[in-house]
Amino acid sequence: MSWRSHTGLAVRAMVRADLAAIGFLMFVLLVIALAIDLAKWLPSVQSRAAATDTPLWQVLLPYIGYRSIDIITRLLTMACVAGGFVVTLLRHQRLEDVVIATAGGGPTLRIAALCLSGLLLGVVQLSGEAWLRPLAVERQVRDNLGDYGQRYHTFDMGTQWLADDTRALRADLTRGATPTLQNVMIFDGINQPTLTRVLSAHSATPSGQPGVWSLHKVTLWDGDIGVPQQHDQLALPLPISTASLRWFGVDAYYLPNDAARTIAAQPNAPNTADAATALAVRKTAFFLPAIFALLGVSLASLGARGRRLSPFRLLALAAVGYLCVVSVKVFWALGIHGTVSPLIAATVPALCALLLAVTIQLIQSGHLRRPPTLAVPRTTS
Protein backbone atom coordinates (compact mmCIF):
# COMPACT_ATOMS: atom_id res chain seq x y z
CA MET A 1 0.00 0.00 0.00
CA SER A 2 1.16 3.54 -0.69
CA TRP A 3 2.24 5.87 2.09
CA ARG A 4 -0.80 8.05 1.39
CA SER A 5 -3.11 5.28 2.56
CA HIS A 6 -1.47 5.50 6.00
CA THR A 7 -2.79 9.04 6.39
CA GLY A 8 -6.05 8.54 4.51
CA LEU A 9 -9.67 8.54 5.61
CA ALA A 10 -9.52 5.17 7.36
CA VAL A 11 -6.46 6.11 9.42
CA ARG A 12 -7.86 9.53 10.32
CA ALA A 13 -11.11 7.88 11.43
CA MET A 14 -9.14 5.50 13.65
CA VAL A 15 -7.18 8.40 15.13
CA ARG A 16 -10.40 10.25 15.92
CA ALA A 17 -11.86 7.12 17.53
CA ASP A 18 -8.69 6.57 19.60
CA LEU A 19 -8.60 10.15 20.83
CA ALA A 20 -12.33 10.16 21.56
CA ALA A 21 -12.14 6.97 23.64
CA ILE A 22 -9.01 8.01 25.50
CA GLY A 23 -10.33 11.53 26.01
CA PHE A 24 -13.65 10.27 27.37
CA LEU A 25 -12.01 7.88 29.82
CA MET A 26 -9.56 10.59 30.87
CA PHE A 27 -12.52 12.88 31.50
CA VAL A 28 -14.20 10.22 33.67
CA LEU A 29 -11.02 9.66 35.69
CA LEU A 30 -10.55 13.42 36.02
CA VAL A 31 -14.08 14.00 37.32
CA ILE A 32 -13.75 11.19 39.87
CA ALA A 33 -10.34 12.41 41.07
CA LEU A 34 -11.51 16.02 41.32
CA ALA A 35 -14.60 15.00 43.28
CA ILE A 36 -12.43 13.11 45.78
CA ASP A 37 -9.96 16.00 46.01
CA LEU A 38 -12.59 18.72 46.51
CA ALA A 39 -14.42 16.65 49.12
CA LYS A 40 -11.30 16.94 51.27
CA TRP A 41 -9.73 20.26 50.29
CA LEU A 42 -12.65 22.56 49.45
CA PRO A 43 -12.49 24.11 52.96
CA SER A 44 -8.91 25.24 52.28
CA VAL A 45 -10.08 26.90 49.06
CA GLN A 46 -12.89 28.63 50.95
CA SER A 47 -10.44 29.77 53.64
CA ARG A 48 -8.14 31.21 50.99
CA ALA A 49 -11.02 33.11 49.38
CA ALA A 50 -12.12 34.50 52.75
CA ALA A 51 -8.57 35.47 53.77
CA THR A 52 -7.97 37.38 50.54
CA ASP A 53 -11.51 38.80 50.31
CA THR A 54 -11.91 37.19 46.87
CA PRO A 55 -15.06 35.62 45.38
CA LEU A 56 -14.95 31.85 45.82
CA TRP A 57 -15.12 31.07 42.10
CA GLN A 58 -12.00 33.17 41.42
CA VAL A 59 -10.03 30.87 43.73
CA LEU A 60 -11.86 27.63 42.99
CA LEU A 61 -11.56 27.67 39.20
CA PRO A 62 -7.75 28.19 39.13
CA TYR A 63 -7.40 25.49 41.79
CA ILE A 64 -9.43 23.06 39.66
CA GLY A 65 -7.20 23.94 36.71
CA TYR A 66 -4.02 23.27 38.73
CA ARG A 67 -5.35 19.97 40.02
CA SER A 68 -6.54 18.95 36.55
CA ILE A 69 -3.01 19.37 35.17
CA ASP A 70 -1.60 17.15 37.91
CA ILE A 71 -4.31 14.50 37.56
CA ILE A 72 -4.06 14.31 33.76
CA THR A 73 -0.29 13.96 33.97
CA ARG A 74 -0.64 11.14 36.50
CA LEU A 75 -3.47 9.20 34.85
CA LEU A 76 -3.00 9.69 31.10
CA THR A 77 -1.19 6.36 30.70
CA MET A 78 -4.07 4.59 32.43
CA ALA A 79 -6.53 6.32 30.11
CA CYS A 80 -4.45 5.25 27.10
CA VAL A 81 -4.52 1.57 28.11
CA ALA A 82 -8.24 1.65 28.86
CA GLY A 83 -9.06 3.74 25.78
CA GLY A 84 -7.11 1.46 23.44
CA PHE A 85 -8.83 -1.53 25.05
CA VAL A 86 -12.34 -0.11 24.68
CA VAL A 87 -11.94 1.24 21.16
CA THR A 88 -10.65 -2.14 19.95
CA LEU A 89 -13.71 -3.91 21.34
CA LEU A 90 -15.99 -1.35 19.67
CA ARG A 91 -14.22 -1.80 16.35
CA HIS A 92 -14.59 -5.57 16.73
CA GLN A 93 -18.33 -5.27 17.31
CA ARG A 94 -18.76 -2.95 14.31
CA LEU A 95 -16.67 -5.24 12.03
CA GLU A 96 -14.45 -2.32 11.08
CA ASP A 97 -11.34 -4.51 10.88
CA VAL A 98 -13.15 -6.87 8.50
CA VAL A 99 -14.24 -3.99 6.28
CA ILE A 100 -10.72 -2.53 6.10
CA ALA A 101 -9.16 -5.95 5.43
CA THR A 102 -11.70 -6.60 2.67
CA ALA A 103 -10.72 -3.28 1.09
CA GLY A 104 -7.06 -4.36 1.09
CA GLY A 105 -5.90 -2.57 4.25
CA GLY A 106 -3.31 -4.27 6.42
CA PRO A 107 -2.33 -4.10 10.10
CA THR A 108 0.07 -1.25 9.33
CA LEU A 109 -2.89 1.12 9.02
CA ARG A 110 -3.80 0.49 12.65
CA ILE A 111 -0.18 0.96 13.72
CA ALA A 112 -0.02 4.24 11.79
CA ALA A 113 -3.17 5.47 13.54
CA LEU A 114 -1.74 4.57 16.94
CA CYS A 115 1.49 6.38 16.12
CA LEU A 116 -0.41 9.54 15.20
CA SER A 117 -2.55 9.33 18.33
CA GLY A 118 0.54 8.65 20.42
CA LEU A 119 2.29 11.65 18.89
CA LEU A 120 -0.46 14.02 20.01
CA LEU A 121 -0.87 12.44 23.44
CA GLY A 122 2.89 12.26 23.92
CA VAL A 123 3.10 16.03 23.60
CA VAL A 124 0.44 16.33 26.32
CA GLN A 125 2.26 13.88 28.60
CA LEU A 126 5.68 15.49 28.10
CA SER A 127 4.30 18.99 28.63
CA GLY A 128 2.64 17.92 31.87
CA GLU A 129 5.67 16.08 33.27
CA ALA A 130 8.32 18.64 32.34
CA TRP A 131 6.62 22.03 32.53
CA LEU A 132 2.94 22.30 33.37
CA ARG A 133 2.75 20.16 36.51
CA PRO A 134 5.74 21.81 38.29
CA LEU A 135 4.20 25.20 37.51
CA ALA A 136 0.75 24.13 38.73
CA VAL A 137 2.15 22.72 41.97
CA GLU A 138 4.21 25.88 42.54
CA ARG A 139 1.05 27.98 42.23
CA GLN A 140 -0.80 25.79 44.73
CA VAL A 141 2.08 26.07 47.19
CA ARG A 142 2.25 29.83 46.70
CA ASP A 143 -1.47 30.18 47.46
CA ASN A 144 -1.41 27.47 50.18
CA LEU A 145 -4.16 25.47 48.49
CA GLY A 146 -4.98 21.78 48.79
CA ASP A 147 -2.64 18.93 49.63
CA TYR A 148 0.44 20.50 48.06
CA GLY A 149 -0.13 23.74 49.91
CA GLN A 150 -0.30 21.88 53.21
CA ARG A 151 2.79 19.78 52.46
CA TYR A 152 5.12 22.38 50.96
CA HIS A 153 3.95 25.80 52.08
CA THR A 154 5.76 25.58 55.44
CA PHE A 155 9.46 26.37 55.08
CA ASP A 156 10.49 25.32 58.61
CA MET A 157 11.58 21.69 58.30
CA GLY A 158 12.64 21.16 61.92
CA THR A 159 15.76 19.23 62.89
CA GLN A 160 17.33 17.31 60.01
CA TRP A 161 20.35 15.05 59.61
CA LEU A 162 22.52 15.20 56.48
CA ALA A 163 25.61 13.07 55.90
CA ASP A 164 28.21 11.94 53.40
CA ASP A 165 30.95 9.30 53.75
CA THR A 166 33.00 11.15 56.36
CA ARG A 167 30.80 13.88 57.85
CA ALA A 168 27.39 14.19 59.47
CA LEU A 169 25.45 17.40 59.99
CA ARG A 170 22.51 18.07 62.29
CA ALA A 171 20.66 21.37 62.07
CA ASP A 172 17.28 23.08 62.18
CA LEU A 173 16.56 23.62 58.50
CA THR A 174 14.59 26.43 56.90
CA ARG A 175 14.17 25.87 53.17
CA GLY A 176 13.31 28.45 50.52
CA ALA A 177 15.06 30.82 48.15
CA THR A 178 17.62 31.65 50.89
CA PRO A 179 17.89 28.48 53.00
CA THR A 180 19.39 28.73 56.48
CA LEU A 181 20.63 26.29 59.10
CA GLN A 182 20.22 26.97 62.82
CA ASN A 183 21.76 25.19 65.81
CA VAL A 184 24.31 23.45 63.63
CA MET A 185 26.34 20.46 64.79
CA ILE A 186 28.96 18.93 62.49
CA PHE A 187 30.69 15.61 63.21
CA ASP A 188 33.84 14.79 61.20
CA GLY A 189 35.34 11.32 60.97
CA ILE A 190 32.16 9.28 61.23
CA ASN A 191 33.93 6.58 59.21
CA GLN A 192 36.68 6.37 61.85
CA PRO A 193 36.71 4.61 65.24
CA THR A 194 36.60 8.03 66.94
CA LEU A 195 35.45 11.43 65.72
CA THR A 196 38.26 13.68 64.48
CA ARG A 197 36.43 16.98 64.92
CA VAL A 198 33.16 18.31 66.32
CA LEU A 199 31.84 21.76 65.44
CA SER A 200 28.85 23.68 66.70
CA ALA A 201 27.51 26.92 65.27
CA HIS A 202 24.60 29.21 65.96
CA SER A 203 23.68 29.38 62.25
CA ALA A 204 24.96 28.74 58.75
CA THR A 205 24.16 30.61 55.54
CA PRO A 206 25.35 30.26 51.91
CA SER A 207 28.63 32.09 51.36
CA GLY A 208 28.12 32.66 47.63
CA GLN A 209 30.76 30.08 46.69
CA PRO A 210 29.54 26.68 45.49
CA GLY A 211 29.53 24.17 48.33
CA VAL A 212 30.91 26.66 50.90
CA TRP A 213 28.84 27.89 53.86
CA SER A 214 29.43 30.69 56.35
CA LEU A 215 29.08 29.49 59.95
CA HIS A 216 28.40 32.05 62.68
CA LYS A 217 29.37 31.91 66.39
CA VAL A 218 31.38 28.75 66.01
CA THR A 219 32.82 26.47 68.68
CA LEU A 220 35.30 23.93 67.34
CA TRP A 221 36.64 20.84 69.12
CA ASP A 222 39.63 19.37 67.27
CA GLY A 223 40.90 15.97 68.34
CA ASP A 224 44.53 16.96 67.75
CA ILE A 225 44.34 20.19 69.79
CA GLY A 226 41.98 19.19 72.56
CA VAL A 227 41.07 22.79 73.46
CA PRO A 228 37.82 24.35 72.15
CA GLN A 229 38.32 27.18 69.68
CA GLN A 230 35.90 30.09 69.27
CA HIS A 231 35.22 31.82 65.93
CA ASP A 232 32.78 34.58 65.14
CA GLN A 233 32.57 33.38 61.57
CA LEU A 234 34.06 30.43 59.71
CA ALA A 235 33.82 29.43 56.04
CA LEU A 236 33.52 25.68 55.66
CA PRO A 237 32.70 23.37 52.72
CA LEU A 238 29.66 21.24 53.51
CA PRO A 239 28.22 18.22 51.64
CA ILE A 240 25.02 20.12 50.77
CA SER A 241 24.03 22.63 48.12
CA THR A 242 21.80 25.66 48.22
CA ALA A 243 19.59 24.17 45.50
CA SER A 244 19.03 20.92 47.38
CA LEU A 245 18.07 22.79 50.56
CA ARG A 246 15.83 25.21 48.72
CA TRP A 247 13.72 22.27 47.53
CA PHE A 248 14.34 20.04 50.55
CA GLY A 249 11.46 17.64 51.11
CA VAL A 250 9.75 18.48 47.79
CA ASP A 251 9.22 15.49 45.47
CA ALA A 252 11.48 15.92 42.46
CA TYR A 253 8.79 15.37 39.84
CA TYR A 254 7.30 18.68 41.02
CA LEU A 255 10.58 20.57 40.51
CA PRO A 256 11.40 22.81 37.54
CA ASN A 257 13.87 21.29 35.08
CA ASP A 258 16.73 23.60 36.04
CA ALA A 259 16.38 22.81 39.74
CA ALA A 260 16.16 19.07 39.08
CA ARG A 261 19.32 19.16 36.94
CA THR A 262 21.21 21.11 39.60
CA ILE A 263 20.23 18.67 42.35
CA ALA A 264 20.92 15.59 40.20
CA ALA A 265 24.47 16.87 39.59
CA GLN A 266 25.15 16.99 43.38
CA PRO A 267 26.37 13.51 44.42
CA ASN A 268 25.86 14.16 48.14
CA ALA A 269 22.50 15.91 48.00
CA PRO A 270 19.77 14.11 50.00
CA ASN A 271 17.44 13.99 46.98
CA THR A 272 19.91 13.28 44.17
CA ALA A 273 18.33 9.95 43.17
CA ASP A 274 14.88 11.53 43.26
CA ALA A 275 15.91 14.37 40.92
CA ALA A 276 17.82 12.08 38.54
CA THR A 277 14.80 9.75 38.28
CA ALA A 278 12.46 12.68 37.59
CA LEU A 279 14.70 13.85 34.74
CA ALA A 280 14.89 10.33 33.28
CA VAL A 281 11.10 9.98 33.46
CA ARG A 282 10.66 13.29 31.62
CA LYS A 283 12.90 12.04 28.82
CA THR A 284 10.71 8.96 28.28
CA ALA A 285 7.32 10.59 28.98
CA PHE A 286 6.71 11.37 25.31
CA PHE A 287 6.64 7.67 24.36
CA LEU A 288 4.40 6.36 27.14
CA PRO A 289 0.95 7.18 25.66
CA ALA A 290 1.72 5.43 22.35
CA ILE A 291 3.19 2.38 24.10
CA PHE A 292 0.27 1.93 26.47
CA ALA A 293 -2.37 2.63 23.81
CA LEU A 294 -0.74 -0.11 21.72
CA LEU A 295 -0.76 -2.37 24.78
CA GLY A 296 -4.47 -1.76 25.35
CA VAL A 297 -5.26 -2.49 21.69
CA SER A 298 -3.15 -5.65 21.75
CA LEU A 299 -4.65 -7.01 24.96
CA ALA A 300 -8.21 -6.41 23.74
CA SER A 301 -7.47 -8.34 20.54
CA LEU A 302 -6.95 -11.48 22.64
CA GLY A 303 -10.41 -11.22 24.22
CA ALA A 304 -12.45 -12.44 21.28
CA ARG A 305 -13.18 -15.88 19.90
CA GLY A 306 -14.30 -15.37 16.36
CA ARG A 307 -17.08 -12.76 16.52
CA ARG A 308 -17.84 -13.43 20.20
CA LEU A 309 -16.27 -11.67 23.18
CA SER A 310 -15.11 -13.63 26.22
CA PRO A 311 -16.03 -11.56 29.31
CA PHE A 312 -13.83 -13.41 31.81
CA ARG A 313 -10.85 -13.34 29.49
CA LEU A 314 -11.39 -9.61 28.95
CA LEU A 315 -11.39 -9.03 32.71
CA ALA A 316 -8.11 -10.92 33.05
CA LEU A 317 -6.58 -8.99 30.14
CA ALA A 318 -7.75 -5.68 31.62
CA ALA A 319 -6.05 -6.67 34.89
CA VAL A 320 -2.82 -7.32 32.98
CA GLY A 321 -3.00 -3.84 31.47
CA TYR A 322 -3.60 -2.29 34.90
CA LEU A 323 -0.63 -4.16 36.38
CA CYS A 324 1.58 -2.88 33.56
CA VAL A 325 0.61 0.71 34.42
CA VAL A 326 1.19 0.07 38.13
CA SER A 327 4.62 -1.42 37.38
CA VAL A 328 5.63 1.93 35.86
CA LYS A 329 4.84 3.70 39.14
CA VAL A 330 6.60 0.97 41.14
CA PHE A 331 9.82 1.29 39.13
CA TRP A 332 9.68 5.07 39.44
CA ALA A 333 9.44 4.69 43.22
CA LEU A 334 12.44 2.34 43.20
CA GLY A 335 14.43 4.91 41.26
CA ILE A 336 13.37 7.73 43.59
CA HIS A 337 14.68 5.79 46.60
CA GLY A 338 17.92 4.86 44.83
CA THR A 339 17.17 1.12 44.69
CA VAL A 340 17.65 0.99 40.91
CA SER A 341 19.32 3.44 38.55
CA PRO A 342 17.21 6.28 37.10
CA LEU A 343 17.63 4.90 33.56
CA ILE A 344 16.30 1.49 34.56
CA ALA A 345 13.45 3.02 36.54
CA ALA A 346 12.33 5.12 33.58
CA THR A 347 12.78 2.63 30.73
CA VAL A 348 12.37 -0.98 31.89
CA PRO A 349 8.59 -1.00 32.56
CA ALA A 350 7.87 0.90 29.33
CA LEU A 351 10.08 -1.47 27.32
CA CYS A 352 8.42 -4.50 28.91
CA ALA A 353 4.98 -3.14 28.03
CA LEU A 354 6.13 -2.48 24.47
CA LEU A 355 7.62 -5.98 24.19
CA LEU A 356 4.38 -7.54 25.43
CA ALA A 357 2.32 -5.51 22.96
CA VAL A 358 4.57 -6.33 20.01
CA THR A 359 4.58 -10.03 20.93
CA ILE A 360 0.78 -10.10 21.00
CA GLN A 361 0.62 -8.33 17.64
CA LEU A 362 3.02 -10.84 16.09
CA ILE A 363 1.00 -13.75 17.50
CA GLN A 364 -2.27 -12.29 16.23
CA SER A 365 -0.79 -11.74 12.77
CA GLY A 366 0.44 -15.34 12.64
CA HIS A 367 4.17 -14.59 12.59
CA LEU A 368 4.86 -16.43 15.86
CA ARG A 369 2.52 -19.35 15.30
CA ARG A 370 3.75 -22.72 14.19
CA PRO A 371 2.30 -23.53 10.78
CA PRO A 372 -0.19 -26.39 10.90
CA THR A 373 1.12 -29.77 9.77
CA LEU A 374 -0.79 -31.69 7.16
CA ALA A 375 -1.62 -35.29 7.94
CA VAL A 376 -0.24 -37.72 5.35
CA PRO A 377 -2.77 -40.47 4.59
CA ARG A 378 -1.53 -44.02 4.94
CA THR A 379 -1.55 -46.20 1.90
CA THR A 380 -2.55 -49.80 2.15
CA SER A 381 -1.26 -52.47 -0.15
Side-chain angles (χ1 to χ4, degrees):
M1 300 183 70
S2 67
W3 65 270
R4 291 187 177 182
S5 63
H6 291 80
T7 57
L9 292 175
V11 172
R12 293 200 294 270
M14 285 187 276
V15 170
R16 288 193 296 269
D18 291 341
L19 295 178
I22 294 172
F24 175 75
L25 290 172
M26 185 68 256
F27 176 76
V28 172
L29 294 173
L30 178 62
V31 170
I32 294 172
L34 284 175
I36 295 173
D37 184 87
L38 289 174
K40 182 177 183 180
W41 296 110
L42 183 59
S44 73
V45 177
Q46 294 172 328
S47 299
R48 174 67 181 178
T52 58
D53 196 20
T54 306
L56 177 61
W57 67 270
Q58 291 186 9
V59 180
L60 180 60
L61 292 183
Y63 175 72
I64 291 176
Y66 301 148
R67 293 297 299 128
S68 297
I69 291 173
D70 183 37
I71 293 167
I72 291 173
T73 303
R74 287 176 176 272
L75 299 181
L76 183 57
T77 50
M78 175 65 72
C80 287
V81 172
F85 197 90
V86 169
V87 78
T88 300
L89 299 181
L90 293 176
R91 286 171 54 80
H92 179 82
Q93 292 297 98
R94 293 195 295 257
L95 301 178
E96 292 183 15
D97 292 335
V98 175
V99 173
I100 292 177
T102 303
T108 56
L109 294 181
R110 189 71 185 103
I111 300 300
L114 286 172
C115 289
L116 292 174
S117 303
L119 177 65
L120 298 174
L121 295 171
V123 172
V124 175
Q125 183 73 37
L126 177 60
S127 299
E129 289 282 359
W131 298 290
L132 297 179
R133 182 165 66 174
L135 179 62
V137 172
E138 187 273 332
R139 296 293 175 83
Q140 291 175 72
V141 174
R142 181 198 64 187
D143 296 337
N144 195 14
L145 293 174
D147 180 49
Y148 297 131
Q150 184 183 65
R151 278 196 281 169
Y152 302 136
H153 188 74
T154 301
F155 290 168
D156 185 3
M157 300 301 295
T159 302
Q160 300 290 335
W161 282 88
L162 304 172
D164 61 6
D165 295 334
T166 62
R167 176 181 290 169
L169 180 148
R170 187 196 69 187
D172 297 334
L173 169 62
T174 301
R175 69 183 175 198
T178 56
T180 60
L181 302 173
Q182 303 285 337
N183 303 320
V184 181
M185 292 289 296
I186 299 175
F187 307 91
D188 282 328
I190 60 175
N191 59 335
Q192 303 295 328
T194 59
L195 296 175
T196 58
R197 186 171 64 170
V198 176
L199 182 150
S200 71
H202 178 267
S203 62
T205 56
S207 67
Q209 302 178 22
V212 179
W213 288 70
S214 295
L215 281 68
H216 309 280
K217 297 181 181 180
V218 180
T219 302
L220 175 63
W221 291 271
D222 195 314
D224 296 333
I225 299 176
V227 178
Q229 304 175 50
Q230 303 291 332
H231 301 273
D232 290 335
Q233 185 169 329
L234 182 67
L236 187 69
L238 296 179
I240 51 179
S241 67
T242 304
S244 63
L245 292 188
R246 177 180 181 180
W247 303 100
F248 189 89
V250 178
D251 295 322
Y253 42 83
Y254 302 137
L255 300 183
N257 288 319
D258 293 340
R261 293 190 191 99
T262 301
I263 295 172
Q266 301 290 328
N268 296 319
N271 46 357
T272 296
D274 192 4
T277 301
L279 291 173
V281 167
R282 291 172 186 180
K283 292 177 182 178
T284 60
F286 176 79
F287 304 100
L288 293 180
I291 291 174
F292 282 95
L294 176 62
L295 178 63
V297 169
S298 302
L299 290 172
S301 66
L302 297 177
R305 294 179 180 274
R307 301 312 310 165
R308 298 179 59 187
L309 299 178
S310 177
F312 295 105
R313 179 182 292 187
L314 288 173
L315 288 175
L317 292 170
V320 171
Y322 177 76
L323 290 176
C324 289
V325 175
V326 171
S327 71
V328 173
K329 311 298 183 181
V330 171
F331 269 80
W332 289 359
L334 293 175
I336 288 170
H337 292 91
T339 306
V340 300
S341 71
L343 181 62
I344 291 176
T347 58
V348 165
L351 290 177
C352 290
L354 178 61
L355 179 61
L356 176 60
V358 171
T359 302
I360 294 173
Q361 289 293 326
L362 292 176
I363 292 175
Q364 290 294 90
S365 62
H367 289 87
L368 294 183
R369 291 178 179 174
R370 181 179 299 176
T373 57
L374 298 177
V376 180
R378 296 182 179 180
T379 60
T380 56
S381 57

